[in-house]
Amino acid sequence: METRFVDQTAALEQLCSELAQSEFVTVDTEFVREQTYFPRLALIQIANDRLIACIDPLAIDDLAPLKALFANPAVTKVFHAADQDMEIFYLLFGELPHPIFDTQVAATVLGQGDQIGYAALVKEVLGVELDKSHSRTDWLQRPLEAKQLRYAEDDVRYLAQLYPLQRDALAKQGRSDWLEEDFAALIDPTRYQADPENAWRRIKGTNKLRGIQLAVLKQLCAWREHRAIEKDKPRRWIAADHILLDIARLRPKDMKSLEKIRGIPANLVQHSGQRLLTCVREGEALPKEQWPSLARPKRLNEAEDALVDALSAIVKLCAAEYQITPATLAGRKALEALVRGERELPILQGWRRRHGGQQLLAFLEGECRMQVQRQGLTLCD
């Protein structure tokens, strides 16, 4: 395959003009975000079945030709585990590539693995062992060495081989339309927009807080998110999660009590102490009906737990029919939620509903039953 390193606007225009004639392009990015809130884009890899290019966004000011290619409805953009790449392009262009195809998502319905990594998928399907020696490269450094570029090229080289195989396998198995909802979710802009008001939901340990403590935590996390965005620094550099949890739990009334919180950095108290106390007061001032709450599911009794076991058997039957793993359809926690009466669940959406969720609901509603036939378990009306 032809390879190019593109670091000039004219070369980018030529490249995108050529790629616009393709049925599909494969895309990957290299970025760094250890010391920033927003990812710092360092390299864009793109390919079709004949050409691979590494685009240097540090050298090219205007990436408009690439934006136009990503918006071209005649060219499918192929990613593996697209979320982070999609976030980058949303931040860069204010819109998302479309239409898209995600080989990691496709792998789940082809029995190739749940949440399988790119290297593992390449080995599984193509029998190729990828070089992993440059996985910790600082991609912002220039110049890039030839072996680094080769490593980066491989991320789209084999993606261009995987995509046609997966596309054809989906068509052969009658599953081409299974992933429409999954891919639509990946190009929903709200997925990549900062949401300070719900930042508290990301923190582990919130289950130890109650009522007004959660209201305080919500205010603290919203402040930290805004601050991290403003400074373009990682959240943990603004304030660590455990510090915010302790402030929400203890609800200090003044600087002296704030300073007594175990492990709180002196510079955080010095520079942001008053703002933290304001967050505490704002959280405490919220009316009770505005306090955030956590879903605390009730413990299942023995009969309900047995029902979950029955649903697990149905999931296994459905998964075996389509030669996918049961976890692809639903895990035990989802089935427990189903027994509790919850219905806003992945198993009841999209292809999972059609090929597993409907059977589970029918069983719960008494419209079908399980029975033993020829030493095996089957579903019957």
Side-chain angles (χ1 to χ4, degrees):
M1 292 179 72
E2 179 189 353
T3 60
R4 300 180 194 174
F5 183 72
V6 178
D7 60 357
Q8 309 226 347
T9 301
L12 178 62
E13 290 173 349
Q14 176 62 32
L15 171 69
C16 292
S17 176
E18 294 177 41
L19 293 177
Q21 310 307 312
S22 306
E23 177 190 352
F24 71 90
V25 294
T26 57
V27 186
D28 190 43
T29 62
E30 304 298 344
F31 60 91
V32 177
R33 74 183 313 167
E34 285 83 358
Q35 299 183 26
T36 58
Y37 179 90
F38 297 105
R40 297 183 64 188
L41 180 60
L43 197 67
I44 304 166
Q45 304 99 285
I46 192 164
N48 60 14
D49 55 355
R50 303 176 305 278
L51 165 69
I52 301 176
C54 288
I55 302 168
D56 186 356
L58 304 184
I60 302 174
D61 293 329
D62 186 2
L63 294 171
L66 188 63
K67 179 179 179 180
L69 177 65
F70 284 169
N72 187 337
V75 182
T76 298
K77 275 62 71 172
V78 181
F79 297 83
H80 183 87
D83 265 309
Q84 290 186 311
D85 299 315
M86 298 293 276
E87 178 193 9
I88 286 171
F89 291 127
Y90 180 73
L91 293 170
L92 186 63
F93 297 135
E95 58 187 58
L96 291 161
H98 62 277
I100 70 160
F101 184 98
D102 190 318
T103 55
Q104 185 182 69
V105 176
T108 64
V109 301
L110 290 171
Q112 295 168 337
D114 302 328
Q115 299 297 308
I116 189 170
Y118 176 66
L121 184 60
V122 168
K123 185 175 181 180
E124 168 74 18
V125 178
L126 302 177
V128 175
E129 189 88 41
L130 291 180
D131 176 18
K132 301 177 183 178
S133 61
H134 297 285
S135 59
R136 297 299 299 169
T137 289
D138 181 356
W139 294 99
L140 293 171
Q141 295 294 320
R142 293 295 185 271
L144 293 171
E145 299 176 8
K147 57 185 179 181
Q148 292 174 315
L149 291 173
R150 173 70 186 192
Y151 171 91
E153 289 165 0
D154 281 351
D155 285 340
V156 288
R157 183 190 312 277
Y158 297 107
L159 201 53
Q161 298 177 32
L162 287 170
Y163 167 64
L165 295 174
Q166 287 191 331
R167 178 198 58 200
D168 294 347
L170 288 169
K172 183 178 181 180
Q173 296 177 30
R175 303 181 188 182
S176 296
D177 62 341
W178 280 29
L179 300 175
E180 290 176 357
E181 292 92 345
D182 299 71
F183 294 160
L186 285 169
I187 58 173
D188 179 0
T190 60
R191 190 183 184 107
Y192 309 103
Q193 293 167 353
D195 185 9
E197 292 305 307
N198 284 299
W200 66 277
R201 297 183 183 277
R202 296 194 192 93
I203 293 191
K204 293 181 180 180
T206 53
N207 60 320
K208 298 177 182 178
L209 303 183
R210 295 291 188 276
I212 199 169
Q213 294 175 326
L214 285 174
V216 171
L217 181 67
K218 180 179 179 180
Q219 298 300 117
L220 290 167
C221 290
W223 164 77
R224 182 180 68 170
E225 197 77 6
H226 284 297
R227 187 73 169 167
I229 292 170
E230 176 190 356
K231 298 293 185 181
D232 192 20
K233 297 298 181 185
R235 297 180 188 92
R236 67 184 184 280
W237 287 21
I238 306 300
D241 286 359
H242 72 274
I243 295 296
L244 298 188
L245 284 167
D246 283 345
I247 294 173
R249 180 173 57 85
L250 298 171
R251 294 156 50 204
K253 303 300 182 185
D254 51 40
M255 291 290 285
K256 187 174 182 179
S257 54
L258 180 66
E259 290 170 351
K260 289 183 178 179
I261 292 177
R262 182 177 179 179
I264 190 167
N267 65 337
L268 177 61
V269 175
Q270 179 183 352
H271 296 295
S272 302
Q274 290 299 335
R275 188 67 190 89
L276 293 171
L277 293 173
T278 298
C279 288
V280 173
R281 291 193 294 269
E282 289 174 346
E284 292 175 333
L286 284 174
K288 189 173 182 179
E289 59 270 18
Q290 293 183 26
W291 292 355
S293 61
L294 290 171
R296 303 182 191 276
K298 69 178 183 68
R299 188 181 183 86
L300 298 181
N301 59 37
E302 291 184 2
E304 291 169 328
D305 199 51
L307 181 54
V308 173
D309 290 336
L311 295 183
S312 295
I314 295 173
V315 167
K316 290 179 181 178
L317 288 174
C318 293
E321 178 180 355
Y322 297 106
Q323 296 184 314
I324 57 179
T325 65
T328 299
L329 285 171
R332 190 171 183 87
K333 287 186 177 180
L335 298 181
E336 291 174 353
L338 200 59
V339 168
R340 292 189 186 97
E342 295 179 37
R343 293 298 180 263
E344 295 297 320
L345 300 166
I347 184 61
L348 299 181
Q349 299 170 3
W351 68 269
R352 290 177 177 85
R353 181 184 182 94
R354 296 191 295 273
H355 304 292
Q358 289 176 344
Q359 292 89 331
L360 294 173
L361 289 176
F363 182 79
L364 288 172
E365 294 166 5
E367 296 174 359
C368 71
R369 57 190 172 83
M370 285 189 290
Q371 68 177 34
V372 177
Q373 289 185 349
R374 297 180 182 178
Q375 305 303 311
L377 201 60
T378 62
L379 277 178
C380 302
D381 294 335

